Amino acid sequence: MNDRVVTESAAGDRRGRYSAAEAWRRALEATAPIADNPSVTLPVVIEELATRFGPAPALVSAAETLSFRGLADRVDRYARWALAQGVGAGDVVALLLPNCPDYLAIWLGITRVGGAVALINTNLVGAALKHSLEIVAPKQIITGAALIDAVAPVLPQLDPGIGVWVHGGEGLDLPRVDVETGDMLDPSAFRPPTIRDRALYIYTSGTTGLPKAASVSHYRLMQWTRWFAGLIDPQPSDRMYNCLPMYHSIGGVVATGAALFGGGSVLIRERFSANRFWDDIAEWDCTLFQYIGELCRYLVNTAPHPRETQHKLRLCCGNGLRPDVWEPFRQRFHIPQILEFYAATEGSFSLFNCEGKPGAIGKIPPFLAHRFPVALIKFDIDAGEPVRNDDGFCVRCAADEPGEAIGQLLGDRATLRGQFEGYTDKAASEQKLLRNVFAAGDLWYRTGDLMRRDRAGYYYFVDRIGDTFRWKGENVSTTEIGEVIALCPGVVEAVVYGVAVPGADGRAGMAAIVTDEGFDLARLHAHLAERLPDYARPVFLRIREAIDITGTFKPQKQALLREGCDPAATDDAMYLNDRSAGAFVPLDAALYTRIQNGDLRL
């Protein structure tokens, strides 16, 4: 039986759709030779691709197009720049630049000669930006001209010996990095890195604290790009749409590298725009789209667009596509195939939903279980740690029972699989490790994510540890409650979290929501009463104009948690879910005082 299935699009063109078995086979074949060729890194591959595809477009943007040969030449240019600045093995260059073709060329060039590049979040300012720079101790900093206003106040607080360069314009009398720097690259002038060497620092999003810098080796870059190239099967006719931030592993490595491996091109947008999305997809003949789930939700919530089904997309690949968004996204926009996955930049394993099962974040085929040892273990929300039995070992979860996902660290130095490369912060690295899990001396990586696995082996995301809280003796999942709230007509966006209440055990549920003209408070109350048990319904409600998000579209909860349910802390409208009234009632200073004094039973 042929593994390939052909689907018919709304526009009438035929698009290939591969079975899960074939996707897994291609991914395994693509990644098999990595450890056998330790000197073949991603910068080396780019030169090989330039030889194969030469004038074909590689990176496309509104400002410029780089062919495969043009990209390789640009990589050489930045490699020469790095050598001219004395950047050698292990030296760090911090890159603070908006999405553009040069973004990839810069870090490929620097890493080609042994340097490591820290990909800095372009939204950071002040203390957070200073912190992100200091923890990697850069020898050089490259900043985009458009970001100089954010960078300038931080520079006097850094080591004066750090070289600072500007890209894309003039500013602060800084030297320009985007100029020609000499002749051909001389291979004898540097020691090429191997796949074991560090290539990048990629930061956690910092949703609950300052970002941490995760170490990323050349091996991981090759693993990511080759694996995804195997899964999505890129061809020279493919064009990937990438509007995700290039300082992140998905937008900066996976979406770009995977498409290039097959000779396809990547359309780079500086940022996501729901209004421009379908015009871009249609006008640029995009066949692939790398998503983060929130982008799909934004698109589903937008008004109909005349070109939303007039496209050539054959596959959308990404993570975080919520169950309540999956089918509306697929059906409304006529998406032939969705490839959902779960991964973390610093993680030791990934999960892939090659079957397109709505809501699942992936599974591991039985024949690969020995290569990707993953387990779900029972977690005590109150204690904030895994449950251990009388023998001191962790307890595996039963089918459909939520628990923390962990991946075994195999210590396989030969293949480099199943490794945890850690952060610059050794203490933070240690917190991600769990020892003596099922046997004395074994070592596992902690994801910090609660998941459940059904009887068919599919994994489903439940919540982040720390987001789940206890109320009235029950565990409450912020993700689950947020999905229910988002289904209510008139609710555009919802973020759920727990807040401390004087005299009450646990944390009370609170929801911050964004609404449109169709929202009705009474309807929301009835909606929640029909779908959630009493303990899971938000006690407090806050209506906002917008939810602050990180550069990777994750909600920023820090300020919300800090302000709690105090109506004096914000100008937003706030409400209490009044049990006696059976409705949401305005939360004012007087009512808040009664809650604080314990005069009102929640």
Side-chain angles (χ1 to χ4, degrees):
M1 180 178 177
N2 193 335
D3 271 336
R4 189 171 186 180
V5 180
V6 178
T7 60
E8 192 81 17
S9 78
D13 58 309
R14 298 183 70 79
R15 307 174 191 183
R17 185 181 189 275
Y18 288 85
S19 71
E22 187 166 353
W24 282 107
R25 177 187 60 76
R26 289 198 316 268
L28 289 170
E29 290 178 351
T31 54
I34 296 176
D36 297 332
N37 301 282
S39 63
V40 178
T41 59
L42 199 54
V44 173
V45 170
I46 294 299
E47 181 60 40
E48 295 173 353
L49 293 173
T51 301
R52 290 176 58 195
F53 300 111
L59 303 179
V60 181
S61 73
E64 68 172 332
T65 294
L66 287 180
S67 67
F68 278 89
R69 172 44 58 196
L71 173 59
D73 291 345
R74 197 72 64 86
V75 170
D76 277 1
R77 173 197 293 183
Y78 290 113
R80 294 193 301 270
W81 171 86
L83 290 175
Q85 306 314 312
V87 175
D91 290 332
V92 177
V93 177
L95 180 60
L96 187 68
L97 189 67
N99 282 11
C100 63
D102 254 12
Y103 194 103
L104 184 64
I106 288 172
W107 71 250
L108 283 170
I110 295 168
T111 60
R112 183 176 182 183
V113 298
V117 181
L119 308 184
I120 307 295
N121 186 328
T122 55
N123 297 295
L124 297 182
V125 296
L129 176 57
K130 176 176 178 286
H131 164 83
S132 295
L133 291 168
E134 287 183 331
I135 60 176
V136 295
K139 188 171 186 176
Q140 306 285 338
I141 296 173
I142 298 173
T143 179
L147 300 172
I148 283 181
D149 287 346
V151 175
V154 174
L155 294 180
Q157 305 174 53
L158 303 177
D159 183 337
I162 299 174
V164 184
W165 300 73
V166 67
H167 177 282
E170 307 293 339
L172 300 181
D173 294 325
L174 296 174
R176 291 279 296 270
V177 69
D178 49 335
V179 294
E180 198 60 46
T181 54
D183 301 319
M184 297 294 291
L185 183 64
D186 180 5
S188 66
F190 62 94
R191 179 188 70 81
T194 72
I195 58 174
R196 295 178 182 273
D197 293 319
R198 179 184 294 115
L200 301 176
Y201 284 112
I202 299 180
Y203 295 74
T204 61
S205 58
T207 55
T208 56
L210 290 171
K212 298 187 291 290
S215 178
V216 178
S217 66
H218 282 278
Y219 168 79
R220 289 174 76 80
L221 298 183
M222 291 291 287
Q223 177 77 9
W224 293 346
T225 51
R226 282 190 173 275
W227 185 271
F228 276 90
L231 291 176
I232 68 177
D233 191 30
Q235 302 296 318
S237 58
D238 278 313
R239 179 164 288 185
M240 171 73 78
Y241 186 78
N242 182 26
C243 57
L244 302 179
M246 295 183 75
Y247 56 75
H248 195 261
S249 52
I250 300 300
V253 180
V254 173
T256 49
L260 295 179
F261 257 101
S265 55
V266 183
L267 174 63
I268 297 174
R269 270 294 191 185
E270 184 172 334
R271 61 178 61 87
F272 169 71
S273 167
N275 293 329
R276 279 292 311 167
F277 182 84
W278 292 114
D279 286 327
D280 284 347
I281 293 291
E283 291 169 8
W284 293 95
D285 292 328
C286 294
T287 59
L288 303 166
F289 165 45
Q290 190 84 34
Y291 66 78
I292 288 178
E294 284 299 279
L295 303 192
C296 302
R297 186 182 63 79
Y298 290 155
L299 292 172
V300 167
N301 287 335
T302 58
H305 190 285
R307 305 175 86 170
E308 65 184 33
T309 60
Q310 305 305 310
H311 57 73
K312 297 181 180 179
L313 288 175
R314 65 173 181 85
L315 181 145
C316 294
C317 177
N319 63 319
L321 184 54
R322 295 183 344 198
D324 58 306
V325 176
W326 188 299
E327 281 302 297
F329 176 72
R330 185 186 66 81
Q331 293 179 12
R332 173 178 165 181
F333 302 124
H334 297 184
I335 307 299
Q337 187 173 10
I338 294 174
L339 176 61
E340 172 81 2
F341 68 90
Y342 166 87
T345 298
E346 68 275 38
S348 65
F349 70 91
S350 302
L351 300 170
F352 299 89
N353 180 359
C354 299
E355 296 82 0
K357 184 176 179 61
I361 60 175
K363 68 182 300 185
I364 297 175
F367 65 89
L368 287 177
H370 67 288
R371 292 189 57 176
F372 303 99
V374 178
L376 300 184
I377 56 174
K378 293 185 178 183
F379 190 85
D380 187 327
I381 299 296
D382 287 335
E385 60 186 28
V387 174
R388 292 189 180 262
N389 60 24
D390 292 340
D391 295 323
F393 296 121
C394 294
V395 182
R396 293 182 186 269
C397 293
D400 288 316
E401 181 180 15
E404 183 178 5
I406 59 175
Q408 189 170 13
L409 301 178
L410 301 174
D412 189 344
R413 296 293 296 171
T415 66
L416 300 179
R417 290 198 316 266
Q419 303 290 305
F420 172 54
E421 297 178 1
Y423 310 109
T424 55
D425 184 336
K426 291 183 178 180
S429 298
E430 183 62 30
Q431 290 174 359
K432 299 295 285 187
L433 301 177
L434 193 61
R435 293 176 169 82
N436 304 317
V437 177
F438 301 120
D442 65 356
L443 183 63
W444 294 68
Y445 163 80
R446 300 187 62 180
T447 64
D449 289 329
L450 296 176
M451 302 181 191
R452 65 177 179 85
R453 181 176 54 214
D454 66 18
R455 296 186 184 278
Y458 288 99
Y459 289 79
Y460 300 83
F461 181 80
V462 175
D463 216 349
R464 286 288 297 171
I465 288 176
D467 284 347
T468 294
F469 58 89
R470 285 181 70 81
W471 180 244
K472 297 186 178 180
E474 300 284 352
N475 294 339
V476 180
S477 165
T478 61
T479 300
E480 178 185 353
I481 307 309
E483 290 173 356
V484 171
I485 295 173
L487 290 173
C488 181
V491 176
V492 176
E493 195 168 357
V495 174
V496 178
Y497 47 100
V499 295
V501 178
D505 293 331
R507 289 186 291 160
M510 184 165 187
I513 65 174
V514 177
T515 63
D516 61 23
E517 62 277 3
F519 177 73
D520 180 79
L521 201 59
R523 179 191 290 178
L524 174 62
H525 190 277
H527 174 89
L528 298 177
E530 291 172 1
R531 292 164 175 81
L532 294 174
D534 180 68
Y535 69 84
R537 298 170 203 161
V539 176
F540 300 101
L541 185 67
R542 176 175 178 175
I543 299 180
R544 310 209 71 206
E545 292 186 358
I547 302 295
D548 295 332
I549 58 174
T550 70
T552 50
F553 304 96
K554 296 177 182 178
Q556 287 276 22
K557 295 186 179 182
Q558 292 163 288
L560 297 174
L561 289 167
R562 184 170 57 252
E563 293 163 359
C565 55
D566 184 356
T570 177
D571 293 330
D572 297 339
M574 297 181 68
Y575 299 88
L576 169 71
N577 193 343
D578 191 324
R579 295 164 60 93
S580 60
F584 283 108
V585 299
L587 178 61
D588 56 19
L591 185 55
Y592 182 64
T593 299
R594 290 181 61 199
I595 294 171
Q596 283 189 305
N597 293 338
D599 297 333
L600 184 65
R601 185 164 176 252
L602 299 180

